[in-house]
Amino acid sequence: MLQENIDYYINQEGNFVFTKEYHLKRGYCCKNKCLHCPWSYGREKQTGKTRDK
């Protein structure tokens, strides 16, 4: 059973948002570019270098 504020929370728009903890319990990436994806699917890879402006 899902627990609010542990597995998910409800944002200001009324949408359910799954947490990193939920994704880790599930054990795999669904490839939907979730906000808290622990596998960072669909996000730019960080190079560790900073840009000079």
Side-chain angles (χ1 to χ4, degrees):
M1 176 161 247
L2 297 177
Q3 296 179 9
E4 188 171 3
N5 297 320
I6 295 174
D7 296 313
Y8 70 93
Y9 61 89
I10 301 172
N11 67 12
Q12 291 181 345
E13 291 80 31
N15 297 317
F16 281 70
V17 180
F18 290 112
T19 63
K20 178 180 179 180
E21 289 77 17
Y22 168 79
H23 291 293
L24 290 171
K25 283 182 196 177
R26 187 176 59 195
Y28 64 91
C29 179
C30 62
K31 297 186 177 15
N32 284 322
K33 299 180 183 178
C34 298
L35 180 62
H36 300 293
C37 180
W39 297 279
S40 300
Y41 179 81
R43 296 206 178 116
E44 286 187 30
K45 298 203 188 299
Q46 298 293 324
T47 61
K49 296 179 183 178
T50 58
R51 287 181 155 181
D52 293 330
K53 291 185 177 186

